[in-house]
Amino acid sequence: MTKKAFTAGVRPGGLTTSTEIRILLCYLLQSVGMPLSRAEIENALLSEELVNYFEMAEALGDLCEKGHLALNADNKYTITESGSALAAALKSDVPRSVREAAVNAVISAQVYKRKKAQHHATHEKNKNGYMVHCYIEDLGERVFSLDLYMPDELSAKAVEEKFVSRGDDLFSNILSMMIE
């Protein structure tokens, strides 16, 4: 029997039954093909407003209890054979747009995490505003660095975030200009 899910924080078109949420969780883990932490799942599904936090937490516990998901030694969720079968058989019960949004959110988060390991940015207050220090490391060496002045902390934080996500584009463009 499918029960209506608590839908606070869920955008129109998001999932409204506990069964849909369970299917989506299995589908997500099957599709990304790697174990995910609870935080990674939460960030993906909640940032897209696809499910309610409490319903998702309950579904994760229930899927583990029923043997469709398992927690590995790193405290990450993995899909079991029965979970894969469930996802394959019932994925069409969850709208395609929701499935795609969930998978894309996880992939985007993983790309950002990988970039954050190489692209670093910090800021510090000086007497007239903020200095943002940005740099890229590769194989333990600093290969690019840039300092920028920003008039306020909000702008400094925005530059930090943008550098983490797009620093490689900046580096590539500057390098191209310098060697052409």
Side-chain angles (χ1 to χ4, degrees):
M1 180 172 159
T2 301
K3 76 171 179 100
K4 283 293 227 185
F6 186 59
T7 58
V10 179
R11 69 175 161 87
L15 302 184
T16 58
T17 70
S18 55
T19 300
E20 290 174 328
I21 294 168
R22 286 172 175 80
I23 295 167
L24 178 63
L25 289 168
C26 288
Y27 176 81
L28 182 63
L29 283 159
Q30 180 187 43
S31 296
V32 298
M34 64 176 39
L36 296 175
S37 70
R38 182 182 178 118
E40 290 169 324
I41 295 169
E42 286 174 6
N43 290 339
L45 299 183
L46 299 179
S47 69
E48 294 293 316
E49 299 178 330
L50 298 175
V51 300
N52 173 273
Y53 170 81
F54 299 105
E55 294 290 340
M56 184 208 62
E58 182 180 331
L60 283 170
D62 187 56
L63 288 166
C64 284
E65 187 178 299
K66 292 182 177 168
H68 300 305
L69 300 181
L71 277 172
N72 67 15
D74 295 330
N75 212 27
K76 292 188 176 194
Y77 290 93
T78 60
I79 191 155
T80 64
E81 200 173 303
S82 67
S84 288
L86 181 108
L90 300 175
K91 73 179 180 184
S92 63
D93 289 358
V94 175
R96 181 179 180 186
S97 60
V98 172
R99 294 190 317 256
E100 288 177 356
V103 171
N104 288 338
V106 167
I107 291 169
S108 294
Q110 289 172 335
V111 167
Y112 182 82
K113 184 178 177 182
R114 207 169 29 253
K115 285 183 176 185
K116 193 164 176 72
Q118 288 184 316
H119 303 174
H120 305 276
T122 60
H123 69 277
E124 62 185 0
K125 185 160 180 50
N126 62 23
K127 70 179 184 177
N128 296 320
Y130 290 83
M131 187 58 67
V132 182
H133 307 286
C134 306
Y135 63 96
I136 297 175
E137 285 186 343
D138 193 21
L139 301 172
E141 296 289 329
R142 190 173 287 198
V143 295
F144 176 75
S145 66
L146 175 69
D147 290 339
L148 295 168
Y149 166 80
M150 291 283 107
D152 57 67
E153 189 171 24
L154 185 62
S155 299
K157 287 181 178 180
V159 167
E160 284 181 27
E161 286 299 313
K162 194 60 101 171
F163 184 79
V164 169
S165 64
R166 306 272 321 267
D168 49 347
D169 295 334
L170 177 66
F171 177 56
S172 176
N173 288 335
I174 290 174
L175 192 58
S176 290
M177 291 173 62
M178 299 301 285
I179 61 174
E180 285 182 359

